Amino acid sequence: QQTPAAKLTLVLGAFNKCASQVHLTVDSVSISASVINITGSTSSRDNTLKLFDNLRANNLDILQQRLDSKAGLDVFSISVMPKK
């Protein structure tokens, strides 16, 4: 079981590797004992999928996802957890 700080470090590291390429905006990150909930947006659905691929490549499993288009942005809400 990882500490909240370790989970946050993992998520922020994954974001930093692709944020500028996918035009990432993070609205919120909440960390519980079992999952990390993230809401935000990218500039397109393709970029959201690239973000998801990057999260998976950085040892995070996506447990749930909700996608929507709003005001020219691709809006997402996901639940992730570190891979075991």
Side-chain angles (χ1 to χ4, degrees):
Q1 189 78 318
Q2 292 185 340
T3 66
K7 291 177 184 177
L8 184 59
T9 299
L10 192 61
V11 169
L12 293 177
F15 287 166
N16 283 336
K17 290 181 181 176
C18 70
S20 63
Q21 295 94 347
V22 301
H23 305 283
L24 175 64
T25 300
V26 177
D27 295 324
S28 70
V29 176
S30 63
I31 300 172
S32 71
S34 57
V35 298
I36 304 161
N37 295 304
I38 305 163
T39 59
S41 62
T42 68
S43 58
S44 69
R45 180 61 47 97
D46 283 344
N47 283 339
T48 299
L49 297 177
K50 287 177 190 174
L51 170 66
F52 290 178
D53 288 343
N54 190 61
L55 291 170
R56 289 183 191 99
N58 284 277
N59 295 319
L60 291 162
D61 285 326
I62 298 174
L63 306 175
Q64 293 180 325
Q65 65 184 37
R66 189 174 63 229
L67 305 173
D68 196 9
S69 293
K70 187 175 181 179
L73 298 173
D74 197 55
V75 179
F76 64 86
S77 176
I78 56 174
S79 297
V80 302
M81 69 179 293
K83 291 181 182 177
K84 298 193 181 222

